[in-house]
Amino acid sequence: MCGIAGWVGQLENPLNTTNKVIDRLKHRGPDFQDSRHFGQVSLIHCRLSIIDTSSSANQPMSNEDDSLWMVFNGEIYNFPQLRQELLAKGHLFKSNSDSEVIIHLYEELGEEFVSRLEGMFAFALYDRKKSQIILARDRFGIKPLFYYHDTSFFAYSSEMGTFKCIPGLDLEIDQQAVSDYISFLYIHAPQTLYNKVRMLMPGECLVFDQNSFKTSSRMFYKHRQAENLILDYESSAEELIHKAQTLLESSVKRQMRSDVALGTLLSGGIDSSLVSVFAQKEYGINPIHTFNAKFPDNEYDETWAALEVSKQIGSMHRTLEVSLSGGTWENITGILNHIGQPFADTSIFAVNEIMTLIKKHVTVALAGDGGDECFGGYAHFERIPNVIKFIDQPMWLRNLELKGLKAASKLNNKLYPLYRGMKNFTYVDEVGALEAFYTWNRQKEKRELWVGDKNIQETRRFFEDNWRATAHIPEKLERFQMACTLSDMDVLMQPFLFKVDTASMMHSIEVRVPFLDEKISKFGLSLPYNRKVNRENKFLLRAIARNQLPEKVANKPKGGFSIPVDVWANDDFKALAREQLLKPDSNLSYLLNKSIYKEWVDAFVENRQTPGISREGLYQRFIMLLSLSLYIDK
């Protein structure tokens, strides 16, 4: 795991810029930093040594005749097999690293080489003979990669903040990206906060030509390609359970390869618990390191489950007590500013807390991310049948049911969340229903909130391709659940992976995600609804868990890995944040309706609820506003 950057173009003081970029990225690679310069072409690498920790694996790395140079971030899990193939064809290696395989594979296959790589990766390869730079990002987007492009300058980096280190870049705000951020609480690739900075999509390969100064791009992998969208109605539950376990065990095994200390993030959930079980089996008789974070708010704490699993597998477990004193202005804004663009998934604070503990003991950690996306773990999967039944009714009947539910909720406030949830599906079609599952601020609410550029596209566009891709599935339940799985692997997975990469690399930690293996994701897409939800969500994984985990853990409901920001943030933070958000010269009011967001700010600071918004919804909105303000008010 590393930090990469580079550019093509004229700079007045390239050495000074190089040093600034290295300073900005060396938390991602504290073990070694270096650069190479070829006229107006620069490559920069900050190394976190994981595989072959010797100096022979340092980067930037070249082939035998120095015609190819590369900077790479990530891990290639099938590199031993690829290396043997390349050795048999006469390629010479000077290290035992996985990185070097990429260069020789490109020599052998040309631009098609990237489809042979299995792992998590983001890299830049400079072909000096062709005067081209090739950028690529892994199939799931586990590793981030951004690039800037105008008529005279091209640059790329692992982090958005790097572009602030390069003088002369045009960093104009993209209002479309900000509008989408209001809905999702993050900026969906390929957009970024800035018009001329893009984020490579998962599974994308981009070629920059130095002579024409133009780019061309292709997708070497898409989850929604037709061969992935074939449902398996033939296999029995027992066969599928066995296959799921075999795939997960295999993925954990090959992601255990490391030349430095390794452990697992054992939050107490089913996914991280299964990863920890199989990792301990692979580790052998020595106990593996496992870690979890203990929150002072019992609603968010699953320490009991982590301890149960640790006791069963015999791991060396450590629990981090998350202090209520950690929610300071310096800590919260330090994390938000480090990200490089607005981001409001508040679980990044929890991930950051546990990474401070992990760094003292390991450099590599396996996590359970991806299990929910592949196996139907989210709450919206259980709601799909009722949502379909509701939206299949004529509009007059939907309205009638909603009015009845509204009246009932006034008599029994426990029904209000159900009323509020169904209200989002009253005036929508299937694509609109998908959109309602994944957006924090609905279109009606956002239209009232948004006062910026009126030529803004709605977030519906992010779901239309997933619905079209499933048109071959005749049964609406199966089509809808497949479209949900595709949306989980896109709209939900993007911020989760970005959050984990950002928080872990702030502390020079490499996090691996065994569930995000191409074979596992294809398997997950092939599962019919009753193999994901069958009287309970995540049917297959729970079946595996009942054979591998303590009964109480296997049967417990899904919990979130988050932090209760409303009680974690201290009074000084709340006061300073209110001042930041409501100051008269804030640029927020040029984009958002101040009378609406002022009520959110006041409610959060004064520890009270606001009508129609849940506790979590309120503090998510507050952080959404603060993170945006920190960037547009600079």
Side-chain angles (χ1 to χ4, degrees):
M1 198 76 74
C2 307
I4 68 172
W7 62 80
V8 180
Q10 186 70 45
L11 288 176
E12 185 175 324
N13 193 335
L15 180 59
N16 183 53
T17 300
T18 297
N19 291 334
K20 287 182 178 179
V21 169
I22 287 175
D23 284 343
R24 182 62 180 78
L25 286 177
K26 66 182 179 183
H27 57 275
R28 299 185 70 95
D31 297 329
F32 183 80
Q33 302 88 36
D34 202 2
S35 61
R36 290 290 185 277
H37 305 274
F38 308 92
Q40 293 189 8
V41 178
S42 296
L43 295 93
I44 297 170
H45 191 264
C46 297
R47 185 184 182 197
L48 179 63
S49 302
I50 304 291
I51 302 291
D52 185 356
T53 58
S54 72
S55 60
S56 60
N58 287 341
Q59 299 179 46
M61 181 179 282
S62 69
N63 64 346
E64 297 94 330
D65 65 0
D66 289 348
S67 62
L68 297 173
W69 284 83
M70 183 196 68
V71 286
F72 166 75
N73 171 30
E75 302 292 341
I76 306 300
Y77 300 128
N78 65 331
F79 89 90
Q81 302 95 298
L82 295 174
R83 181 185 173 94
Q84 288 305 313
E85 290 178 25
L86 293 164
L87 285 170
K89 293 181 178 180
H91 290 265
L92 300 176
F93 287 79
K94 52 192 174 187
S95 77
N96 293 312
S97 71
D98 57 333
S99 311
E100 195 174 359
V101 165
I102 297 172
I103 297 174
H104 294 287
L105 196 64
Y106 173 76
E107 285 183 304
E108 189 67 31
L109 300 177
E111 288 181 26
E112 297 301 316
F113 79 114
V114 70
S115 62
R116 292 289 313 280
L117 301 174
E118 297 175 11
M120 54 179 189
F121 55 82
F123 62 80
L125 194 153
Y126 178 37
D127 187 330
R128 297 178 67 191
K129 291 178 180 178
K130 291 185 177 180
S131 297
Q132 291 181 339
I133 290 179
I134 299 166
L135 305 182
R137 191 177 180 209
D138 67 73
R139 292 163 179 79
F140 298 94
I142 303 168
K143 296 289 99 192
L145 188 56
F146 303 90
Y147 66 95
Y148 173 95
H149 186 209
D150 64 21
T151 56
S152 61
F153 204 86
F154 178 80
Y156 57 88
S157 178
S158 298
E159 295 189 0
M160 281 285 289
T162 304
F163 300 112
K164 291 283 190 178
C165 302
I166 303 174
L169 300 190
D170 178 7
L171 300 179
E172 180 188 21
I173 299 292
D174 182 346
Q175 286 203 32
Q176 178 67 64
V178 174
S179 173
D180 293 337
Y181 164 75
I182 302 304
S183 295
F184 293 129
L185 306 185
Y186 77 98
I187 298 176
H188 190 290
Q191 298 174 123
T192 74
L193 180 61
Y194 308 115
N195 279 312
K196 292 183 179 178
V197 180
R198 301 288 88 177
M199 188 181 200
L200 232 63
M201 290 291 288
E204 183 179 4
C205 182
L206 180 140
V207 178
F208 169 78
D209 186 88
Q210 191 178 356
N211 296 318
S212 66
F213 234 77
K214 292 182 179 179
T215 63
S216 60
S217 129
R218 67 180 180 87
M219 299 299 297
F220 67 87
Y221 185 80
K222 285 185 178 180
H223 295 294
R224 60 172 172 261
Q225 54 202 39
E227 61 266 29
N228 291 345
L229 307 182
I230 300 172
L231 291 166
D232 179 4
Y233 294 108
E234 304 299 324
S235 299
S236 67
E238 291 72 22
E239 289 171 326
L240 293 173
I241 291 166
H242 175 74
K243 185 174 181 180
Q245 180 169 333
T246 300
L247 289 172
L248 181 56
E249 285 187 282
S250 174
S251 182
V252 170
K253 180 177 181 177
R254 71 175 186 164
Q255 294 195 27
M256 293 282 287
R257 184 179 290 110
S258 174
D259 293 333
V260 295
L262 176 147
T264 71
L265 301 178
L266 176 53
S267 68
I270 287 175
D271 304 339
S272 67
S273 296
L274 287 175
V275 168
S276 298
V277 166
F278 298 137
Q280 181 62 72
K281 287 181 179 179
E282 182 63 26
Y283 213 63
I285 60 173
N286 295 319
I288 195 169
H289 293 278
T290 55
F291 308 88
N292 86 292
K294 178 177 175 58
F295 299 106
D297 189 326
N298 289 334
E299 181 183 343
Y300 291 80
D301 186 47
E302 293 188 301
T303 296
W304 69 268
L307 293 175
E308 287 275 336
V309 175
S310 172
K311 181 180 179 181
Q312 176 176 300
I313 67 177
S315 68
M316 185 180 294
H317 191 76
R318 293 179 176 86
T319 295
L320 169 67
E321 299 270 355
V322 178
S323 170
L324 285 179
S325 64
T328 64
W329 174 261
E330 292 76 15
N331 186 24
I332 294 174
T333 59
I335 294 169
L336 296 177
N337 280 318
H338 176 86
I339 294 167
Q341 65 177 359
F343 187 82
D345 181 345
T346 56
S347 60
I348 194 170
F349 303 133
V351 178
N352 178 70
E353 290 284 342
I354 197 167
M355 291 302 158
T356 60
L357 167 71
I358 288 175
K359 181 58 184 173
K360 300 172 185 176
H361 306 283
V362 300
T363 305
V364 178
L366 274 61
D369 297 271
D372 289 317
E373 289 81 356
C374 294
F375 292 94
Y378 291 111
H380 54 253
F381 261 85
E382 297 178 85
R383 298 172 63 193
I384 288 174
N386 288 334
V387 167
I388 290 174
K389 181 180 178 182
F390 185 68
I391 66 175
D392 274 350
Q393 298 177 136
M395 192 64 68
W396 68 267
L397 190 52
R398 294 193 216 176
N399 274 310
L400 188 63
E401 285 192 16
L402 191 69
K403 287 178 181 178
L405 191 56
K406 182 178 182 180
S409 69
K410 290 180 178 179
L411 299 173
N412 182 355
N413 58 16
K414 290 182 179 180
L415 292 175
Y416 182 76
L418 179 60
Y419 160 71
R420 187 177 62 196
M422 294 310 292
K423 184 179 178 182
N424 297 322
F425 298 96
T426 303
Y427 303 105
V428 299
D429 58 6
E430 291 84 0
V431 175
L434 279 174
E435 181 185 19
F437 275 153
Y438 296 93
T439 49
W440 278 87
N441 291 291
R442 315 302 183 200
Q443 286 299 340
K444 181 179 182 296
E445 181 182 13
K446 200 169 83 171
R447 289 189 194 105
E448 296 170 351
L449 177 65
W450 182 258
V451 297
D453 186 348
K454 298 304 179 184
N455 298 313
I456 291 295
Q457 299 180 71
E458 295 190 347
T459 50
R460 177 186 176 91
R461 70 191 191 280
F462 290 101
F463 305 95
E464 289 172 336
D465 285 345
N466 290 339
W467 186 246
R468 280 193 292 265
T470 57
H472 62 287
I473 302 175
E475 186 184 359
K476 184 173 282 189
L477 172 65
E478 296 296 354
R479 182 180 182 184
F480 201 92
Q481 73 90 5
M482 176 75 83
C484 274
T485 302
L486 290 170
S487 299
D488 286 352
M489 291 182 175
D490 173 23
V491 177
L492 284 185
M493 195 177 285
Q494 278 203 29
F496 290 177
L497 293 175
F498 181 72
K499 160 194 71 184
V500 172
D501 176 84
T502 300
S504 61
M505 292 310 295
M506 283 176 67
H507 301 279
S508 310
I509 299 288
E510 173 174 289
V511 174
R512 300 176 182 177
V513 278
F515 276 105
L516 297 187
D517 173 275
E518 185 179 345
K519 292 177 182 176
I520 293 178
S521 70
K522 287 181 177 179
F523 175 74
L525 283 167
S526 76
L527 296 174
Y529 183 77
N530 69 347
R531 302 308 189 201
K532 291 178 178 175
V533 180
N534 192 336
R535 297 188 299 275
E536 59 187 354
N537 69 345
K538 216 148 48 175
F539 170 70
L540 293 183
L541 290 188
R542 287 190 185 276
I544 298 170
R546 289 189 178 103
N547 288 323
Q548 301 290 336
L549 303 177
E551 183 180 359
K552 286 172 60 180
V553 178
N555 292 324
K556 78 178 189 64
K558 174 179 170 55
F561 184 68
S562 188
I563 202 163
V565 177
D566 48 357
V567 295
W568 180 63
N570 66 25
D571 290 342
D572 286 344
F573 165 80
K574 292 177 180 179
L576 290 168
R578 175 190 251 166
E579 182 180 335
Q580 167 79 15
L581 293 170
L582 301 183
K583 60 186 180 182
D585 60 343
S586 172
N587 288 322
L588 270 183
S589 60
Y590 294 106
L591 297 174
L592 306 178
N593 186 327
K594 189 172 183 177
S595 65
I596 293 176
Y597 72 73
K598 183 179 184 299
E599 167 58 21
W600 299 349
V601 172
D602 290 342
F604 175 81
V605 172
E606 296 163 12
N607 296 313
R608 58 178 172 82
Q609 288 302 117
T610 189
I613 298 177
S614 67
R615 172 192 177 187
E616 183 182 12
L618 181 60
Y619 67 65
Q620 291 281 17
R621 283 167 171 80
F622 186 85
I623 295 298
M624 177 267 289
L625 292 169
L626 178 61
S627 185
L628 178 59
S629 173
L630 291 173
Y631 287 96
I632 66 174
D633 282 333
K634 283 183 179 178

